Amino acid sequence: MTDSERPVIAILGAGAVGLSLAGKLAGAARVYVLCRPAHADAIRERGLLMAGIWGDRTVEGIACIAGPEDLPPSVDYIFITAKGTGTAAICEQFAGVMREATVVSLQNGIGNEEVISRYAGSVIGGTVTTNFSVEGPAQVRVKSESGPMMLGVWSGGDAAAGLDRLIGIVRAAGIPVERSPDIRAGKWAKSLLNITVNPLCALFSVPVGATADDRLRGVIAHLVHETFAVMAAEGVRVPWATPEAYLAHLFGVQIPDFAAVYPSMYYDIKMGRKTEIDLLNGYVAALGERHGIPTPYNRCIADLIRFRESAGPAHPTDEALS
């Protein structure tokens, strides 16, 4: 396959997740990234430095863009890996390109795909449970992988055909990936971990493992019970039939797996950035209100994070859990 025959992929809002994906996908596609100027300058100067379980190497040939005018005339897939707080702005900026491409959301939280669907003809939802971190300008490390990337059709008549081709591209790049039969449920299942531990880690400046403390288990249990009630009202079925089944998985598998990790919300608070709380606990609370379901714990957690955001930055560090 010549370079001109390779699929064209644009990755918008490329931080730890997007840059790591760019480094792997560059082996199977022509990759364009929208990222911070410091990353773009470093990529142009000496390439993207990758380390960790996805390989230690320097990746060259990634093209950095400032806007849609820097993309080629035809783009096959657009990955959005930006924080959910930036989804609408990215969609507005790239609306012209998105109408003709299949758009893939690999973002934390619930609700991003609904925004993207207003701009794109075909939308694929995705989840990734991999520990990515940025260690410097255009320098990323992939520390651990808890499971394959999951991709599934969200909306659009051409999304199914686009999904099959995309899975082939991602596999050819060496990224574990599977087709999700129900990506909406998959997004909720992924978000359960973020809903339960991310805000607590951010509020108390502790790693994920600390949330197994007996004094926090009751709070977490209430968050999970409220979220399951909202999911039932939405018709969402996750792999765990009851809140108790998920809590057993959370404390027995997920929290131990990520015990030493500080989630991305922790770093957002430390660096004075807006968090994705409105796509997590805030989203649960809003849906609860719509369905007439009390969600006092999720509402309280969301308000506490919003208040903490208003206090400004503290001491930033450099690792994030996606």
Side-chain angles (χ1 to χ4, degrees):
M1 181 185 297
T2 65
D3 190 63
S4 62
E5 294 173 319
R6 301 200 320 159
V8 175
I9 294 177
I11 301 176
L12 308 182
V17 177
L19 290 173
S20 299
L21 288 173
K24 286 292 274 186
L25 289 172
R30 294 159 56 197
V31 177
Y32 296 76
V33 298
L34 177 73
C35 57
R36 294 178 181 172
H39 294 313
D41 292 343
I43 288 172
R44 294 186 184 105
E45 181 179 342
R46 44 87 170 142
L48 173 69
L49 304 183
M50 293 192 69
I53 62 171
W54 281 8
D56 301 334
R57 64 191 181 282
T58 299
V59 181
E60 299 180 346
I62 296 171
C64 297
I65 65 173
E69 65 279 0
D70 297 330
L71 289 170
S74 179
V75 176
D76 296 291
Y77 296 96
I78 294 175
F79 279 77
I80 299 181
T81 59
K83 287 170 58 65
T85 53
T87 300
I90 283 178
C91 289
E92 287 286 347
Q93 184 181 6
F94 286 85
V97 182
M98 289 173 60
R99 282 194 294 269
E100 306 299 327
T102 298
V103 182
V104 186
S105 170
L106 278 180
Q107 300 167 275
N108 280 342
I110 315 153
N112 290 297
E113 289 82 2
E114 284 87 347
V115 176
I116 295 168
S117 296
R118 298 199 291 265
Y119 297 85
S122 297
V123 180
I124 292 173
T127 62
V128 57
T129 51
T130 303
N131 187 2
F132 303 100
S133 65
V134 172
E135 301 193 330
Q139 184 175 356
V140 295
R141 180 176 296 274
V142 184
K143 293 193 171 184
S144 63
E145 201 166 47
S146 297
M149 180 187 299
M150 301 298 294
L151 298 173
V153 171
W154 191 274
S155 64
D158 298 330
L163 174 61
D164 291 336
R165 184 186 179 210
L166 177 61
I167 287 175
I169 295 168
V170 173
R171 282 190 181 141
I175 300 173
V177 60
E178 298 293 340
R179 184 186 185 115
S180 170
D182 185 351
I183 194 59
R184 285 175 172 82
K187 296 291 283 191
W188 275 95
K190 164 73 187 300
S191 294
L192 281 168
L193 175 64
N194 303 137
I195 287 166
T196 52
V197 306
N198 288 21
L200 296 176
C201 293
L203 288 169
F204 301 119
S205 299
V206 296
V208 170
T211 62
D213 188 282
D214 288 342
R215 291 164 292 187
L216 293 177
R217 285 181 179 239
V219 173
I220 289 173
H222 280 289
L223 293 173
V224 170
H225 277 266
E226 291 176 6
T227 303
F228 266 71
V230 168
M231 289 192 298
E234 286 284 299
V236 173
R237 293 181 177 273
V238 292
W240 308 278
T242 65
E244 288 73 22
Y246 175 68
L247 286 165
H249 179 71
L250 175 68
F251 288 112
V253 178
Q254 290 182 311
I255 288 178
D257 278 354
F258 294 108
V261 174
Y262 288 81
S264 55
M265 190 176 291
Y266 165 87
Y267 294 102
D268 289 338
I269 290 295
K270 290 297 183 184
M271 300 178 73
R273 298 187 301 233
K274 185 172 176 59
T275 73
E276 295 173 308
I277 196 66
D278 289 328
L279 298 170
L280 295 168
N281 305 76
Y283 195 84
V284 172
L287 285 179
E289 184 173 354
R290 183 185 306 171
H291 291 291
I293 297 170
T295 56
Y297 278 78
N298 277 281
R299 186 172 299 281
C300 176
I301 287 289
D303 284 340
L304 289 173
I305 288 292
R306 294 181 190 118
F307 175 78
R308 183 62 187 85
E309 285 176 344
S310 69
H315 301 291
T317 48
D318 59 2
E319 182 183 338
L321 165 67
S322 295

